[in-house]
Amino acid sequence: MKFGHFDDVNREYVIETPRTPYPWINYLGNEKFFSLISNTAGGYAFYTDARLRRLTRYRYNDVPLDNNGRYFFINDNGTVWNPGWKPMRVELDSYECRHGFGYSKIASSKNGVKADILYMIPNGDNAEIQKVTLTNTTSQKKDIALHSYIEWCLYNAHDDNTNFQRNFSIGEVEVLGSTIYHKTEYRERRNHFAFYHVNSKIDGFETDRETFLGLHNNYDHPDAVFADKSTNFVADGWSPVASHRINVSLNAGESKTFIFVLGYIENDNDKKWAAQAEQGLLQTNSAMRVINKDKAIALQNKYDTVEKVEKAFNTLKDFWTDMVGKYTLKTGDEKLDRMAVWNQYQCVVTYNFARSASYFESGIGRGIGFRDTSQDMLGVVHSMPQSRVRERLFDVASTQFEDGSAYHQFQPLTKRGNADVGSNFNDDPLWLILGVGGYIKETGDEQFLKEMVPFDNNEKNKATLYEHLKRSFRYITTHIGPHGLPLIGRADWNDCLNLNCFSTDPNDSFQTSTNKDGKNAESVMIAQMFVYVAPDYAAMCRMMGDEAEAKFAEEQAAQMAEQICKTGWDGDWYIRAYDDFGKKIGSKECEDGKIFIETQGFGSMAQIGADKGYPAKALDSVEKHLDTKYGIVILDPPYKDYHIELGEVSSYPPGYKENAGIFCHNNPWVIIGEVKTGRSAKAWEHYKKIAPSFLEDISEIHRLEPYVYAQMIAGKAARRHGEAKNSWLTGTAAWNFVALSQWICGVRPEYEGLRIEPRLPAHIKNAEITRKYRGVTYKIDITNNNPEGKVVLTSDSASVTGTLALAKDGTKEVSIKAVIG
Ligand code: BGC
Ligand code: NOJ
């Protein structure tokens, strides 16, 4: 069943009912000011860091779901309704929500009043703009009231959720004209504040939640909206909110537009305060000093007309056209073509937010993951401005320790490693090599390797980025266990394979408790990753003129591959790991968890034991044991019991998360492995099962947004097989884009040029790809006669060597014909 449709021309997903199977959300903002917005206008705004600088309050896990957002209430002679349906859930005469790139639109109507709302965050400003147009579609004059509503968060979202003995006494606001200022904690160490403004005269306001709702009311009966009069009460502690009331008279057929601005301002310390209170200013205590509002007023004025907002909206649309226009795909398979567009959008959002703030990540739990962001890089390196990607890689590398290990996470606001989570996830160092390699392949910016980068953010202890990579590589070669394989530490990519945790205490965190010395448990996956990234590392060594290190890397990789064949192969598939007792994990010998996807994916991507046919055998085993109609499960059979020697992986009920859920993150490893093994038809079968646009028709089963990937779909052992959870912020986005663009479509950046080896499915006979690469637009015209056939490239404007193409000097646009088979 569908709940909407794709509007491919406008690049929007159009949701046709507010009753989606779960809130279907979108993200606004792509610099410093961000918002999450659901199809019923729920969500929240924050500045840079969803934990430390949250501006509006949201209640996770609320009942019903998705309460609190930026709400408008319309009181039409006693009938009160919300254009976004929530929170009142009054039946609407019409409803539509369009999620576009960086904006959302809600349009609905009730009793002859139509509301059209555009929500967006313009580039370059710290503000969410809400353009609200009300139209009277009847033939009679209408007098209605429009009420806005947001609830302020007291900045630190964690404290805001927990420290009520303090919170209920610190809320402060100022009201000046049509603007409500969130002044909480400004008197002390904060030099920032937020405001909510509307570009018209108001007829009243509310700033206190209890006054707005009524002490015993829910959001479905806000007293202030039902009353004919505002209290104009200035909040004094408790929960400060911002609500404007505008009386709107609409003649038959008339429309009026109001522009609301939710803004964030920072003042220098010596400019925090105004010389004197403005005339008409309201605050609880007239003796208090008053916010210097110069910057706020300038920001309000910047968006005070429809024309100005329209202009910013067009700029935003152009920005996104450019962003996702660096890679375009036309195959005639509409589901596939739209994935190329939406997958890129998800990659940018994931890159911006890491794993911090979604409808499954509370924004207070996690900063930016070392491993996560290094992978996210792969999905945006072609589309994002080079400087931003470079900066993030620099920040990530700065949280590495001298010995090559790394903080597992860092906070985006401070850019410091997160000491609470610490280090010792032994795969982390290798992802840095993958990320930097991906960046240089795309940009050719070899100079980056020479940049001085601190260890552990210590400015006094720096080394070249190249040296950081060397430490990464060496970390693996110096941490080898009894079977000649890398030690796993707390975990590898699978955060739940906690082989040194040995926890019996439910109060322990699986991720941060270590009760074994870590000298035994080994990861086959890290070994495979090592082999996989070694060619990149060797290439970068050569760029630095370090032939000896390049040779060393190649030798080490060859030895590791051999070792995997000896101690990491189980006969029909690659083993997953060895536990602390030296027992195999992911082997026929195991009762549960006999086979894992990760090592079949990475093993086939790295083509380990190819001369013995291992990749093909491993992939056949995936099909036999792990594949389902909704995608490939992470392991099988699921663990029935908790295993102290395995940790969190065995903590989940069968079929969920790392215990046999379908991880959309490592399905693409299998897809890539299939292409590399020359079986692209199988790659396509796997791709279709998890790509969200292909799942639109089963939205009642899948439940999450059909325009973005979710991290996990419940596996075959789960009661709700096929149901997804954790949409948006997942490495799934980047890896599926890599699988699609670089392997199925076969256009991949390499150090020397663009490799073009399309392996499209047989039903696609012709395709067109445009790909911007190092400042040149490559137009690739594909004729697909036989998907596994020989690729022949011809071009007048590029030099072609086999399947590698590079624009001739001075050429800005290149046309290439690729004939397959
Ligand atoms: C989840 C993992 C996640 C980890 C983050 C675990 O509970 O199952 O998917 O990576 O938490 O710390
Ligand atoms: C989500 C985490 O963000 C990622 O780092 C990890 O690799 C996967 N879960 C698998 O556990």
Side-chain angles (χ1 to χ4, degrees):
M1 189 201 295
K2 298 207 307 183
F3 295 83
H5 63 271
F6 285 90
D7 176 342
D8 295 322
V9 174
N10 290 306
R11 262 186 342 231
E12 292 171 337
Y13 192 79
V14 188
I15 301 168
E16 292 158 9
T17 164
R19 291 179 174 89
T20 43
Y22 202 73
W24 284 4
I25 73 162
N26 193 14
Y27 286 83
L28 314 179
N30 49 68
E31 289 163 343
K32 293 183 168 166
F33 191 101
F34 297 104
S35 295
L36 284 75
I37 181 165
S38 70
N39 59 314
T40 53
Y44 59 94
F46 64 91
Y47 175 79
T48 307
D49 191 316
R51 173 177 178 144
L52 297 177
R53 197 90 19 116
R54 195 171 302 187
L55 306 179
T56 60
R57 190 177 277 164
Y58 184 72
R59 285 182 197 85
Y60 275 93
N61 201 12
D62 204 4
V63 179
L65 267 182
D66 194 27
N67 262 324
N68 234 1
R70 62 294 272 160
Y71 290 142
F72 292 99
F73 294 84
I74 292 168
N75 186 342
D76 180 357
N77 296 299
T79 302
V80 179
W81 57 282
N82 303 109
W85 187 59
K86 278 190 178 169
M88 295 189 58
R89 291 173 290 146
V90 167
E91 213 50 51
L92 300 168
D93 296 339
S94 67
Y95 162 92
E96 179 183 275
C97 169
R98 289 177 172 259
H99 285 319
F101 289 12
Y103 68 89
S104 290
K105 288 175 172 175
I106 291 180
S108 61
S109 62
K110 176 95 189 153
N111 295 352
V113 175
K114 185 160 186 290
D116 286 280
I117 310 176
L118 165 70
Y119 297 90
M120 68 156 185
I121 294 177
N123 284 351
D125 280 316
N126 295 323
E128 179 179 311
I129 310 293
Q130 304 154 357
K131 180 164 78 71
V132 182
T133 301
L134 299 178
T135 306
N136 176 3
T137 59
T138 69
S139 49
Q140 319 274 291
K141 181 167 182 263
K142 272 203 180 255
D143 287 306
I144 58 177
L146 172 70
H147 298 253
S148 65
Y149 181 76
I150 54 149
E151 184 172 347
W152 298 116
C153 180
L154 309 182
Y155 297 114
N156 181 320
H158 184 263
D159 288 354
D160 188 72
N161 264 314
T162 47
N163 195 6
F164 303 108
Q165 59 80 25
R166 172 177 162 83
N167 295 350
F168 288 157
S169 293
I170 62 172
E172 276 189 275
V173 300
E174 287 181 15
V175 182
L176 180 65
S178 300
T179 315
I180 296 157
Y181 291 87
H182 177 26
K183 195 187 186 179
T184 310
E185 289 192 344
Y186 191 69
R187 69 170 67 236
E188 26 130 337
R189 294 154 300 171
R190 296 194 183 276
N191 63 352
H192 44 261
F193 62 92
F195 65 81
Y196 196 31
H197 164 86
V198 60
N199 72 337
S200 101
K201 187 183 113 349
I202 57 173
D203 297 287
F205 64 85
E206 303 296 344
T207 63
D208 174 70
R209 190 179 74 203
E210 195 177 306
T211 318
F212 178 78
L213 292 177
L215 177 59
H216 298 289
N217 291 351
N218 208 325
Y219 288 95
D220 53 10
H221 197 283
D223 274 354
V225 177
F226 280 89
D228 267 345
K229 233 169 73 218
S230 298
T231 66
N232 297 344
F233 179 74
V234 178
D236 188 16
W238 294 108
S239 288
V241 302
S243 171
H244 308 90
R245 171 204 179 89
I246 307 170
N247 296 334
V248 189
S249 250
L250 293 170
N251 289 323
E254 194 188 3
S255 291
K256 280 187 181 156
T257 298
F258 304 93
I259 298 159
F260 292 83
V261 181
L262 169 63
Y264 169 86
I265 298 291
E266 288 179 353
N267 276 336
D268 291 340
N269 268 335
D270 57 342
K271 300 207 178 79
K272 266 179 86 161
W273 304 106
Q276 61 190 65
E278 300 87 350
Q279 229 191 338
L281 180 102
L282 298 169
Q283 60 173 337
T284 43
N285 186 330
S286 56
M288 301 305 292
R289 285 198 286 172
V290 166
I291 299 173
N292 171 356
K293 305 183 181 65
D294 293 353
K295 287 187 186 173
I297 291 168
L299 185 53
Q300 292 155 18
N301 292 342
K302 224 173 144 179
Y303 298 101
D304 60 358
T305 65
V306 170
E307 293 68 35
K308 290 180 192 176
V309 172
E310 289 295 333
K311 197 164 161 231
F313 185 42
N314 287 333
T315 307
L316 185 72
K317 285 202 276 193
D318 291 346
F319 167 84
W320 278 106
T321 299
D322 183 54
M323 182 85 89
V324 300
K326 298 191 183 108
Y327 178 83
T328 66
L329 175 65
K330 242 168 62 193
T331 63
D333 181 330
E334 61 174 15
K335 290 189 172 132
L336 177 62
D337 291 354
R338 56 177 71 118
M339 269 333 297
V341 180
W342 284 89
N343 195 173
Q344 290 192 77
Y345 180 52
Q346 186 181 4
C347 283
V348 176
V349 170
T350 303
Y351 181 77
N352 283 339
F353 288 82
R355 306 294 173 273
S356 65
S358 73
Y359 267 29
F360 296 84
E361 299 279 9
S362 64
I364 57 181
R366 292 159 80 180
I368 295 188
F370 191 97
R371 165 204 303 142
D372 294 335
T373 204
S374 301
Q375 290 173 77
D376 292 348
M377 190 80 54
L378 304 176
V380 298
V381 69
H382 70 289
S383 61
M384 278 251 177
Q386 188 173 330
S387 57
R388 281 191 71 182
V389 183
R390 199 182 205 263
E391 184 187 340
R392 178 70 69 80
L393 279 169
F394 183 94
D395 293 344
V396 175
S398 305
T399 64
Q400 191 175 25
F401 296 107
E402 262 183 294
D403 71 351
S405 64
Y407 278 110
H408 194 48
Q409 291 171 13
F410 67 98
Q411 285 307 122
L413 195 71
T414 60
K415 298 190 172 179
R416 302 277 141 164
N418 185 335
D420 291 347
V421 179
S423 154
N424 208 17
F425 291 78
N426 282 353
D427 62 319
D428 273 335
L430 292 177
W431 295 111
L432 184 66
I433 299 180
L434 195 87
V436 174
Y439 166 83
I440 296 179
K441 283 184 212 172
E442 181 68 39
T443 60
D445 177 16
E446 297 180 13
Q447 290 308 311
F448 191 29
L449 293 171
K450 297 189 181 142
E451 180 114 7
M452 297 299 281
V453 181
F455 289 109
D456 192 8
N457 287 110
N458 180 355
E459 283 300 313
K460 296 204 190 84
N461 185 12
K462 291 186 177 181
T464 59
L465 179 61
Y466 173 57
E467 181 62 30
H468 278 257
L469 301 186
K470 198 183 255 184
R471 306 274 172 104
S472 283
F473 198 77
R474 297 291 172 122
Y475 187 82
I476 308 300
T477 58
T478 53
H479 290 77
I480 298 288
H483 298 88
L485 300 166
L487 294 170
I488 195 168
R490 281 191 184 153
D492 58 24
W493 173 87
N494 190 332
D495 275 326
C496 299
L497 216 47
N498 316 118
L499 306 186
N500 291 299
C501 179
F502 283 82
S503 173
T504 49
D505 182 349
N507 301 314
D508 281 346
S509 142
F510 285 112
Q511 314 279 306
T512 56
S513 319
T514 307
N515 293 309
K516 288 278 173 168
D517 61 8
K519 298 227 170 68
N520 291 324
E522 297 162 282
S523 162
V524 177
M525 177 178 168
I526 299 182
Q528 295 172 332
M529 272 187 77
F530 181 81
V531 178
Y532 185 75
V533 306
D536 278 322
Y537 177 57
M540 290 188 273
C541 296
R542 293 204 165 95
M543 283 169 205
M544 294 295 289
D546 196 348
E547 183 58 31
E549 182 69 8
K551 285 240 166 65
F552 170 78
E554 285 161 353
E555 281 160 24
Q556 290 289 313
Q559 273 176 32
M560 188 71 86
E562 227 173 90
Q563 193 60 36
I564 296 169
C565 294
K566 276 195 211 132
T567 54
W569 179 252
D570 205 42
D572 288 308
W573 59 79
Y574 304 99
I575 291 166
R576 180 61 179 85
Y578 284 92
D579 70 14
D580 183 61
F581 308 112
K583 228 178 117 222
K584 290 176 189 165
I585 299 170
S587 151
K588 287 174 187 152
E589 293 166 19
C590 307
E591 187 189 330
D592 290 328
K594 287 178 193 290
I595 170 170
F596 281 65
I597 191 177
E598 298 97 307
T599 39
Q600 317 322 318
F602 254 93
S604 58
M605 287 204 298
Q607 289 286 296
I608 289 165
D611 54 333
K612 298 184 259 296
Y614 287 1
K617 265 194 183 172
L619 293 167
D620 286 342
S621 298
V622 166
E623 216 179 320
K624 186 157 166 215
H625 301 284
L626 302 178
D627 200 16
T628 77
K629 61 178 168 176
Y630 297 124
I632 307 164
V633 295
I634 194 168
L635 62 85
D636 198 66
Y639 293 105
K640 296 187 282 292
D641 302 310
Y642 173 55
H643 291 252
I644 189 170
E645 76 286 7
L646 303 179
E648 189 172 356
V649 68
S650 60
S651 74
Y652 288 111
Y656 289 106
K657 291 285 284 184
E658 280 85 345
N659 189 17
I662 295 159
F663 257 72
C664 300
H665 188 142
N666 38 35
N667 274 241
W669 300 344
V670 170
I671 295 170
I672 297 169
E674 289 284 14
V675 176
K676 281 195 150 186
T677 310
R679 315 181 339 165
S680 58
K682 288 188 189 287
W684 176 248
E685 289 309 310
H686 291 309
Y687 181 80
K688 273 195 317 195
K689 285 186 186 169
I690 58 160
S693 64
F694 289 80
L695 307 179
E696 193 189 14
D697 289 331
I698 55 157
S699 288
E700 82 285 9
I701 297 170
H702 186 73
R703 288 189 65 189
L704 298 187
E705 298 93 332
Y707 41 92
V708 290
Y709 284 94
Q711 178 205 46
M712 193 236 14
I713 299 172
K716 58 187 173 183
R719 186 88 176 267
R720 300 169 185 254
H721 185 28
E723 180 189 72
K725 290 194 185 114
N726 200 3
S727 53
W728 281 97
L729 305 184
T730 157
T732 305
W735 274 107
N736 277 286
F737 185 67
V738 170
L740 170 65
S741 62
Q742 300 193 17
W743 297 95
I744 295 176
C745 295
V747 179
R748 42 184 187 274
E750 292 191 355
Y751 295 106
E752 304 81 25
L754 208 54
R755 179 73 60 192
I756 303 176
E757 287 177 5
R759 295 297 175 205
L760 287 159
H763 73 279
I764 294 167
K765 301 291 176 216
N766 291 293
E768 266 174 53
I769 293 173
T770 57
R771 174 66 158 85
K772 201 142 187 207
Y773 175 66
R774 299 189 189 176
V776 177
T777 304
Y778 288 72
K779 295 194 161 173
I780 307 161
D781 186 64
I782 300 166
T783 307
N784 188 28
N785 297 327
N786 165 16
E788 292 303 342
K790 187 164 185 258
V791 179
V792 178
L793 304 185
T794 46
S795 173
D796 292 337
S797 36
S799 349
V800 169
T801 323
T803 54
L804 193 73
L806 192 63
K808 291 183 180 156
D809 273 353
T811 322
K812 284 281 157 225
E813 206 176 288
V814 158
S815 293
I816 297 175
K817 269 196 155 317
V819 179
I820 327 298

